[in-house]
Amino acid sequence: MATTTKAVGDLFDLLERKPDLLVDADLTVERDGVAFTVRGYDDFVAVDLPSLGAAVAIWRDRLVGGPDAAAALAAAGLTAEIRVRGAPVARLGVDAVPSSLAKRLGLGPVQLFLDGALLAITPRRG
């Protein structure tokens, strides 16, 4: 764990000396047989997943903890939004407004969108 902490600390040191990042991306990524899109526009990155289960799996398997990921994004001047079938379910980074529910769940400084989560679990019509 000390290696991860040191690596994250080194990342923060590096980011603090750099101007904000700008992202321009339009990718389709496949992980464990699940395809999803990553689109970046300036200081905003949207990750759109096909299901809430895929979003939870990616969150559980992340290399950096939620608070560290949110802090790294904020330090870089970036915001990431996690979407399921186009509906926003979470946001972290500089423009996120941390949810008290996320803090109680131990997710760190993450903004949760309950209406987006409800849409994410609603079966698609036709």
Side-chain angles (χ1 to χ4, degrees), residues 3-125:
T3 303
T4 302
T5 304
K6 183 176 182 335
V8 171
D10 291 343
L11 177 63
F12 289 147
D13 290 342
L14 178 65
L15 290 173
E16 287 176 357
R17 295 188 301 264
K18 301 284 184 190
D20 289 349
L21 294 176
L22 297 177
V23 177
D24 184 16
D26 190 0
L27 307 168
T28 299
V29 179
E30 187 172 322
R31 181 175 177 266
D32 296 332
V34 176
F36 56 94
T37 62
V38 178
R39 291 192 172 88
Y41 309 97
D42 295 329
D43 61 352
F44 184 82
V45 178
V47 178
D48 198 353
L49 296 138
S51 69
L52 193 57
V56 170
I58 286 177
W59 181 260
R60 283 187 182 149
D61 293 342
R62 68 194 183 281
L63 296 175
V64 177
D68 288 337
L73 286 165
L78 296 174
T79 299
E81 185 171 273
I82 309 304
R83 300 174 179 173
V84 174
R85 297 185 339 240
V89 294
R91 182 178 294 156
L92 55 156
V94 73
D95 289 332
V97 178
S99 306
S100 58
L101 176 60
K103 289 178 186 176
R104 279 186 250 146
L105 293 173
L107 300 177
V110 174
Q111 181 176 0
L112 296 177
F113 298 99
L114 295 180
D115 52 347
L118 289 174
L119 285 173
I121 61 172
T122 304
R124 290 190 206 190
R125 287 186 149 175

